[in-house]
Amino acid sequence: SRYDADLVNDLLSLMVRSRADYTMAFRRLSAIPAGIPEQLSTLKESFYQPSSDELDRQWTQWLGRWRDQISANGDLRETSAAMQRVNPAITWREWLIAPAYEQAAQGDTSLIKELQAVFRHPYDAPSAEHATIYDRLKPQDFFNAGGVSHYSCSS
């Protein structure tokens, strides 16, 4: 396989324009054996803003180019499995963790124990119950919320 800088740059541009959650988008892309219309529909679950017809057209075109490239390089199912091994289904998100801290401060560590169990196997597909909690976009309430909106490198 060869590195295709244009393909990668176009993907990143589309992700930015779609305001995609990167963790969710890369995991959704790993469902390669799905057809392109199904894959675009699934990929849209990672977008923070509605897609336009033009953006859908660009995504469909990109997915076709990408699928052609990976099809030429080998078995799609093997590629899908390899992608799932390196793109976590669930990742650490401060807006998920903060409530566990708050509960633990009150003496209830049940949410921390649940998070430990979930994060023990971040590359495994979560149960349906866990997916609704942990494999989703950040709720609107947490945007611009101090300490949970995004990581800070300040000390």
Side-chain angles (χ1 to χ4, degrees):
S1 81
R2 65 177 179 82
Y3 176 72
D4 185 332
D6 289 338
L7 195 65
V8 172
N9 289 335
D10 290 348
L11 169 63
L12 296 175
S13 174
L14 284 167
M15 290 174 76
V16 168
R17 291 185 7 242
S18 300
R19 293 198 58 224
D21 177 288
Y22 284 24
T23 298
M24 290 178 68
F26 282 117
R27 184 65 181 205
R28 300 290 185 283
L29 282 173
S30 69
I32 299 163
I36 290 172
E38 295 82 7
Q39 195 160 21
L40 178 56
S41 176
T42 301
L43 192 57
K44 285 182 178 184
E45 296 170 6
S46 71
F47 297 174
Y48 277 105
Q49 66 185 24
S51 189
S52 66
D53 290 343
E54 176 61 17
L55 203 49
D56 285 358
R57 186 190 64 73
Q58 292 172 8
W59 269 113
T60 298
Q61 183 181 40
W62 184 89
L63 285 164
R65 288 170 48 212
W66 179 61
R67 192 178 183 93
D68 289 347
Q69 169 122 340
I70 59 176
S71 294
N73 291 329
D75 181 82
L76 291 179
R77 292 189 189 283
E78 288 177 17
T79 301
S80 175
M83 288 181 67
Q84 289 178 23
R85 286 192 296 272
V86 297
N87 290 293
I90 296 176
T91 189
W92 180 278
R93 298 173 185 274
E94 195 66 22
W95 57 269
L96 286 172
I97 309 306
Y101 296 154
E102 293 167 5
Q103 286 183 15
Q106 303 301 316
D108 179 359
T109 59
S110 60
L111 189 50
I112 285 183
K113 290 176 182 168
E114 180 176 309
L115 288 168
Q116 286 174 324
V118 168
F119 289 128
R120 192 167 288 130
H121 304 284
Y123 297 93
D124 295 349
S127 68
E129 176 187 1
H130 282 154
T132 61
I133 299 168
Y134 301 108
D135 183 24
R136 63 186 174 115
L137 294 172
K138 176 172 48 178
Q140 194 66 39
D141 296 356
F142 289 105
F143 276 89
N144 301 316
V148 297
S149 184
H150 36 72
Y151 294 112
S152 170
C153 296
S154 60
S155 53

